[in-house]
Amino acid sequence: MTVNRRQFLKLSAGATLAGAFGGLGISLAPSVARAELQKLQWAKQTTSVCCYCAVGCGLIVHTAKNGEGRAVNVEGDPDHPINEGALCPKGGSIFQLGENDARPKKPLYRAPNSGEWKEVEWDWALSEIAKRVKKTRDASFQTANAKGEKVNRTEAIASLGSAALDNEECWAYQVILRSLGLVFIEHQARICHSSTVPALAETYGRGAMTNHWNDIANSDCVLIMGSNAAENHPISFKWVMRAKDRGATIVHVDPRFTRTASKSDIYAPMRSGTDIAFLGGLIKYILDNKLYFEEYVREYTNASLIVGEKFSFKDGLFSGFDAEKRKYDKSQWAFELDGNGVPKRDPSLKHPRCVFNLMKKHYERYTPEQVSNVTGTPKDQLLQVYKTYAATGKPDKAGTIMYAMGWTQHTVGVQNIRTMAMVQLLLGNIGVAGGGVNALRGESNVQGSTDQGLLAQIWPGYNPTPTSRQATLDEYNAATPLSKDPKSVNWWQNRPKYVASYLKALYPNLSPAEAYDIMPKVDADKASTHYFWLNIFDRMDKGEFKGAFAWGMNPACGGANAGKNRRALGKLDWLVNVNIFENETSSFWKGPGTDPKALGTEVFFLPCAVSIEKEGSIVNSGRWMQWRYRGPKPWGDTKPDGDIMLEMMHKIRDLYAKEGGAHPDPVLKLNVAEWEEHNEFSPTKVARLMNGYFLKDTEVGGKQFKAGQMVPAFAFLTADGSTCSGNWLHAGSFTDAGNMMARRDTAQTPEQARIGLFPNWSFCWPVNRRVLYNRASVDATGKPWNPAKAVIEWKDGKWVGDVVDGGGDPGAKHPFIMQTHGFGALYGPGREDGPFPEHYEPMEGPIAAHPFSKQRSNPVAFHFADEKKAVADPKYPYICSTYRVTEHWQTGLMTRRCAWLVEAQPQVFCEMGTGLAKQKGIKNGDTVRLSSIRGEVDAVAIVTERIKPFKVMGKEYHMVGLPWHFGWMTPKDGGDSANLITPSVGDPNTGIPETKAFMVDVRKA
């Protein structure tokens, strides 16, 4: 018979399965092997999406007994446009993640001061948790703050989690938290990509990856910096290699020579923490050599806007700095406005205070010699990178950037990303095929969980959390951006519609204003970092929290200064940990150096289903919202997260209905009925609620809609309470035509196929647009800069290709529609540490001064004054950075119990250069001890040529690095968390910890 590709892959999967059974001790005698393959043939097939990094690889799950048994195989989906059947080692091990005897089958309870777990029933556990939540909430509830401003909140409970949940679960979870009055709401994004959102939003208008994975293949030059994509996002790298096969140049800038570097055409080493110096030099190179895309820069960026006279920069500080408060008065950075409130422009770019000239002046110090002196990058390699990447600043060329934690986890994390975002504007690389800024997210749904507002400062869809000065909905809406420029779309002017629709999704029987009135609010006079991760653990360590949820997270290993986090957990009255496996957070009370009898924290461990055991949607880095289906039923008595939170909320509501309590309305009036079906959490119903529907017959935009009809797109949402939408970004994802996220159609028009848009596969927010800011890919007549790789084009009186940004005729609108003034921002006055990125040293570093200014480190960085930092300290002479490996994921919670992965990477290691190893008398395989001011961790030494010393300011400095995937629980002798030695310092905009550059000592253990 003729075997097509799909049939071949099925047969291959069968052969792989036979091998897998053999590895599990099952006989491979022909008759037995044939029987095992017949099991596969009778299995039910369901499609899912990988639960690890956010590439979003498709899976096919085979469940025995036509879906009634357990999973017998998980393989890559050959029809999926991104992975095309391929999986990395983690994705290939998902079968073992689900079928794992280490998974608890029932809830566990640890009584105060107890040294053991007790297995309990779900009803008892959730009933007791509900009692703790209500007691703590009632005792601590504040209707007003110290100033008498209405806040409706509790500050005694914190939540951490979770990027491991599906979108529908994330949305329901944040609703539960906010209905209870929590304001300390954080999840994985805070410590991985929180710096991405304000950086990209400030520059372009949105805080997400601009293009998508397949589009990387369209690039002429791929710059990978702040990322080791080949190892950390392996399937993404197939698109890098496809670009290379088509003639693209691959450039890698990184402190270590990695597998990414081995596949690159150009590799340049760079000292960790000096990215802005490196990129600032690139900006100078582009400007000095006039390599910028002039028409793009003049018409589509704010290069021509004139900055007010109060702005200045001197010796590392911008105007408006208050040394006592360690804060800037950002009003001094404002644009000069005309009589209509529109920024003044000089299209000739000659005005001395236009952005273009201020930028040239700012980066004139960033000469190749000085950049090389600070970064440790040899000048010739530096210039090679500059020349190569700057060559993409032409209409028919496109360069893309791939980055991850190497940029985000710094006290200048936001400005790291801002610098490259500026480079992309100068070169005209935004909105075009093969261009963009690609934020490589590290968890399967960290994009989606951020979209749902599981962070203290945002509601779903990136609407800001109300502050205490916004007592009413009208006052909140008064802060909505306004623009009188007729060409500015200023899409955020629609915020009142989105917020009203969100509130109606929560409280359909209240008006938007009434619903807003009962919602919790943060203090307006506190820095946003007060509510963020690092400060949560500092407050917890001081005994200022009574209870906490760690939902799908392991902060005892995953957070910076993990020893402090573990100590802080012991000062809670109660802790709820929801996860697949028992972990270092749930079991902190029996960890190294602890005495369970001295720790009074009551702990509830709730076991949840793995991803292939439940249904729902997740969002990959490229904003593709993909639906996954349940394969096997949940393991033992474990439950999907949605069911756990729904049942818990019912218990809490029952208590308030019976006993009353503090501020009961937001709890009792919550629209929980729309989350469930047959007494179970319904991902489909919640997805419909998140999309939104009309609550009454109404007319919008000249179209008539009936009550109950699904909202077709967010342009049809209203501010008067006639629509609900749990998240305006999801509007259009679940319409009257059905679930758009579940689409699996690879059909494309010829224009779309030329660049691989795949518009009929899944749904991509916003409005299924695959390339953001695509209006910048054409000139004022609608003609693409590069017709061979057109994203959109004006043909026969309409746009073809992708969904156009902003609508309207060519040239009618400024292309960056989410920006108030419509321009891409080379000058960004909204960030805490300055409108232009400036090089500052990490808070811990080997040098006490640098040549760019007298200001050593970020003057407004978040830190605790009572926690010491190692600066040019001979006791801690070596630069250290943490990173990931291919075989493990995050804290290793899911991967450290998969034997296939642990066999490949069994324990924490420390990479060091041969020169340092010789100095210290360390050989390959020796156990070494890394120590910092905060703690120490033992690791196996890997002596390698991949790490070289850096020559900085005339002196040689050594660097070491180690992965952060490990913890004390498992595997045996695997080692503990690298975060025991990382510092509690963070970016001033986001509070993201600086775990990529700090100082240690290394010696033989």
Side-chain angles (χ1 to χ4, degrees), residues 399-444:
T400 195
I401 174 69
M402 300 171 71
Y403 78 92
M405 309 299 96
W407 273 1
T408 63
Q409 292 176 335
H410 290 276
T411 46
V412 291
V414 167
Q415 299 289 21
N416 279 341
I417 301 158
R418 269 274 298 144
T419 319
M420 192 64 206
M422 292 163 61
V423 168
Q424 292 296 70
L425 287 177
L426 287 172
L427 298 174
N429 279 330
I430 297 299
V432 303
V437 175
N438 298 302
L440 277 57
R441 305 281 185 162
E443 294 210 33
S444 60

Side-chain angles (χ1 to χ4, degrees), residues 46-49 51 59 61 63 67 69-71 74 94-100 103-105 166 169 579-581 607-616 628-643 680-681 683:
T46 52
T47 56
S48 188
V49 182
C51 59
L59 305 174
V61 181
T63 305
R70 299 302 307 161
V74 180
I94 289 175
F95 161 77
Q96 196 173 65
L97 175 66
E99 307 307 309
N100 196 309
R103 293 179 63 186
K105 295 183 176 180
D166 294 345
E169 295 168 331
N579 227 307
I580 298 168
F581 299 106
C608 60
V610 301
S611 59
I612 62 173
E613 296 171 344
K614 60 182 182 178
E615 183 173 347
R628 53 189 180 190
Y629 295 92
R630 194 188 83 179
K633 296 177 182 178
W635 177 265
D637 286 338
T638 66
K639 294 176 180 284
D641 298 89
D643 288 272
E680 291 183 347
F681 182 81

Side-chain angles (χ1 to χ4, degrees), residues 81 85 115 175 193 243 267 337 342 360 377 408-409 411 514 591 676 683 755 775 778 819 891 993:
V175 169
H193 261 286
Y267 165 70
L337 307 177
V342 177
K360 285 186 73 173
T377 308
T408 63
Q409 292 176 335
T411 46
E514 291 170 333
E676 61 183 313
I755 59 172
R775 205 181 185 96
V778 298
Q819 296 282 55
T891 67

Side-chain angles (χ1 to χ4, degrees), residues 6-19:
R6 181 63 184 271
Q7 290 169 327
F8 173 76
L9 284 165
K10 282 184 178 181
L11 293 171
S12 299
T16 301
L17 181 65

Side-chain angles (χ1 to χ4, degrees), residues 836-887:
F836 291 126
E838 170 69 5
H839 170 72
Y840 300 114
E841 287 289 313
M843 293 294 278
E844 288 198 344
I847 60 175
H850 64 84
F852 293 110
S853 75
K854 292 180 181 178
Q855 184 64 41
R856 183 196 169 275
S857 57
N858 190 337
V860 295
F862 181 83
H863 72 106
F864 302 102
D866 60 343
E867 293 184 7
K868 295 180 180 179
K869 289 89 180 172
V871 177
D873 187 338
K875 294 192 295 293
Y876 304 100
Y878 309 118
I879 305 163
C880 188
S881 188
T882 63
Y883 46 81
R884 290 169 49 181
V885 297
T886 302
E887 295 81 5

